[in-house]
């Protein structure tokens, strides 16, 4: 592994996937790209909400959205990489998640991908493809997936999560 991409979702689980990626990157001397993506719908919703306030002092454009996302990702990365010797940088983008991940991985010549996933029933997998499944099928390299339960209950979630690497 020379350069890996870790996708940072907004959920609390992102700290764990960051730590997993950081430990592997530190152990192999690889560079780590931390990618945070603001979905277009979220960007537009925030921009519309701030525009409705009506203040000329409130400006929320692409630059502000990317700056905010970068700050949040940097705070999470700094916390997750505490005590690790990791060479990393943050990339923030607004757009469709799957396409952004795959384009960034290709552009940055990443040879490994780290993502958070969730457990789904076999029927759930058939009915809708999720982010993780789409990335597994379309990324040309190993993918490490930190699996979590498909519930909103955070109680005892650490015992229900595990990392899997698919080559």
């Amino acid at each position: 592994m020379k350069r890996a991409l870790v996708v940072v979702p907004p959920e609390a689980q992102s700290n764990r996937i960051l730590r997993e990626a950081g430990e592997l990157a530190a152990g192999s001397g690889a560079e780590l790209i931390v990618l945070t993506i603001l979905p277009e719908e979220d960007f537009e919703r925030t921009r519309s909400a701030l525009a409705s306030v009506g203040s000329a002092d409130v400006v929320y454009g692409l630059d502000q959205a990317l700056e905010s996302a970068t700050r949040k990702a940097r705070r999470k990365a700094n916390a997750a990489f505490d005590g690790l010797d990791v060479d990393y940088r943050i990339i923030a983008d607004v757009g469709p998640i799957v396409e952004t991940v795959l384009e960034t991985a290709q552009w940055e010549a990443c040879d490994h991908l780290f993502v958070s996933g969730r457990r789904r029933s076999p029927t759930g997998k058939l009915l809708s493809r999720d982010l993780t499944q789409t990335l597994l099928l379309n990324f040309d390299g190993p993918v490490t997936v930190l699996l979590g339960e498909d519930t909103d209950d955070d109680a005892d979630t650490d015992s229900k999560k595990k990392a899997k690497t698919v080559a």
Side-chain angles (χ1 to χ4, degrees):
M1 178 169 76
K2 293 181 181 178
R3 182 175 295 138
L5 179 72
V6 59
V7 182
V8 181
E11 304 91 42
Q13 189 176 348
S14 64
N15 291 340
R16 188 151 181 253
I17 192 69
L18 276 167
R19 185 66 185 195
E20 294 279 341
E23 288 175 355
L24 282 172
S28 67
E31 179 185 9
L32 196 58
I33 309 292
V34 177
L35 176 64
T36 185
I37 304 166
L38 182 62
E40 290 176 80
E41 308 81 47
D42 293 353
F43 169 69
E44 289 300 331
R45 186 174 28 254
T46 302
R47 186 164 71 166
S48 295
L50 289 173
S52 70
V53 171
S55 173
D57 296 337
V58 179
V59 176
Y60 185 77
L62 188 58
D63 290 342
Q64 290 78 16
L66 295 177
E67 184 179 319
S68 175
T70 299
R71 276 195 313 270
K72 288 177 187 175
R74 188 168 314 283
R75 278 194 302 268
K76 286 182 179 187
N78 286 339
F81 300 152
D82 187 38
L84 297 176
D85 183 22
V86 180
D87 179 21
Y88 76 95
R89 58 192 165 93
I90 308 287
I91 295 177
D93 205 350
V94 173
I97 295 174
V98 172
E99 290 85 356
T100 303
V101 170
L102 294 172
E103 287 171 5
T104 303
Q106 183 177 10
W107 180 260
E108 296 292 333
C110 295
D111 57 1
H112 198 110
L113 182 62
F114 291 87
V115 296
S116 295
R118 58 183 180 169
R119 295 185 190 278
R120 303 188 78 174
S121 69
T123 304
K125 289 177 187 175
L126 286 173
L127 294 177
S128 66
R129 281 174 117 175
D130 65 358
L131 167 71
T132 305
Q133 182 181 17
T134 304
L135 291 173
L136 282 168
L137 293 172
N138 292 294
F139 181 73
D140 188 27
V143 178
T144 299
V145 180
L146 181 65
L147 292 175
E149 297 298 323
D150 191 12
T151 66
D152 292 333
D153 183 20
D154 288 334
D156 197 30
T157 54
D158 282 341
S159 65
K160 297 177 185 176
K161 294 178 183 169
K162 64 180 179 180
K164 282 187 174 181
T165 300
V166 178

CSV table of all heavy atoms in Angstrom, one decimal, residues 13 36 59 62 83 94 104 124 131 155 161:
chain,number,residue,atom,x,y,z
A,13,GLN,N,-19.1,6.7,13.5
A,13,GLN,CA,-18.2,5.6,13.1
A,13,GLN,C,-17.0,6.1,12.4
A,13,GLN,O,-16.0,5.3,12.3
A,13,GLN,CB,-19.1,4.6,12.3
A,13,GLN,CG,-18.4,3.3,12.0
A,13,GLN,CD,-19.3,2.4,11.3
A,13,GLN,OE1,-20.4,2.6,11.1
A,13,GLN,NE2,-18.7,1.3,10.7
A,36,THR,N,-13.7,13.8,2.6
A,36,THR,CA,-15.0,14.1,3.1
A,36,THR,C,-15.9,14.7,2.0
A,36,THR,O,-15.4,15.5,1.3
A,36,THR,CB,-14.9,15.0,4.4
A,36,THR,OG1,-16.2,15.2,4.9
A,36,THR,CG2,-14.3,16.4,4.0
A,59,VAL,N,-23.1,34.7,3.7
A,59,VAL,CA,-22.8,34.1,2.4
A,59,VAL,C,-22.4,32.7,2.6
A,59,VAL,O,-21.5,32.4,3.4
A,59,VAL,CB,-21.7,34.9,1.7
A,59,VAL,CG1,-21.3,34.3,0.4
A,59,VAL,CG2,-22.1,36.4,1.6
A,62,LEU,N,-19.8,27.6,-2.3
A,62,LEU,CA,-19.0,26.4,-2.4
A,62,LEU,C,-17.7,26.5,-1.5
A,62,LEU,O,-17.4,25.5,-0.8
A,62,LEU,CB,-18.7,26.1,-3.8
A,62,LEU,CG,-18.0,24.8,-4.1
A,62,LEU,CD1,-18.8,23.6,-3.6
A,62,LEU,CD2,-17.7,24.6,-5.6
A,83,GLY,N,-1.2,10.0,18.4
A,83,GLY,CA,-0.2,8.9,18.7
A,83,GLY,C,0.4,8.2,17.6
A,83,GLY,O,1.2,7.3,17.7
A,94,VAL,N,-18.0,18.5,-2.9
A,94,VAL,CA,-19.4,18.5,-2.9
A,94,VAL,C,-19.8,17.8,-4.1
A,94,VAL,O,-19.3,18.0,-5.2
A,94,VAL,CB,-20.0,19.9,-2.9
A,94,VAL,CG1,-21.5,19.9,-3.1
A,94,VAL,CG2,-19.7,20.7,-1.6
A,104,THR,N,-11.9,10.6,-7.1
A,104,THR,CA,-10.8,11.1,-6.2
A,104,THR,C,-9.7,10.0,-6.1
A,104,THR,O,-8.5,10.2,-6.2
A,104,THR,CB,-11.3,11.5,-4.8
A,104,THR,OG1,-12.3,12.5,-5.0
A,104,THR,CG2,-10.1,12.0,-3.9
A,124,GLY,N,-32.3,-7.0,1.7
A,124,GLY,CA,-31.9,-5.6,1.6
A,124,GLY,C,-30.8,-5.3,0.6
A,124,GLY,O,-30.8,-4.3,-0.1
A,131,LEU,N,-23.8,2.3,-0.8
A,131,LEU,CA,-22.5,2.9,-1.2
A,131,LEU,C,-21.4,1.9,-1.1
A,131,LEU,O,-20.6,1.8,-2.0
A,131,LEU,CB,-22.2,4.1,-0.2
A,131,LEU,CG,-20.8,4.6,-0.1
A,131,LEU,CD1,-20.5,5.4,-1.4
A,131,LEU,CD2,-20.6,5.5,1.1
A,155,ALA,N,-26.1,1.7,21.3
A,155,ALA,CA,-25.7,0.9,22.5
A,155,ALA,C,-25.0,-0.3,22.0
A,155,ALA,O,-25.5,-1.1,21.2
A,155,ALA,CB,-27.0,0.6,23.3
A,161,LYS,N,-19.2,-4.3,15.4
A,161,LYS,CA,-18.5,-3.8,14.3
A,161,LYS,C,-17.2,-4.6,14.1
A,161,LYS,O,-16.5,-5.0,15.0
A,161,LYS,CB,-18.1,-2.3,14.5
A,161,LYS,CG,-19.3,-1.5,14.6
A,161,LYS,CD,-18.9,0.0,14.8
A,161,LYS,CE,-20.2,0.8,14.9
A,161,LYS,NZ,-19.9,2.1,15.5
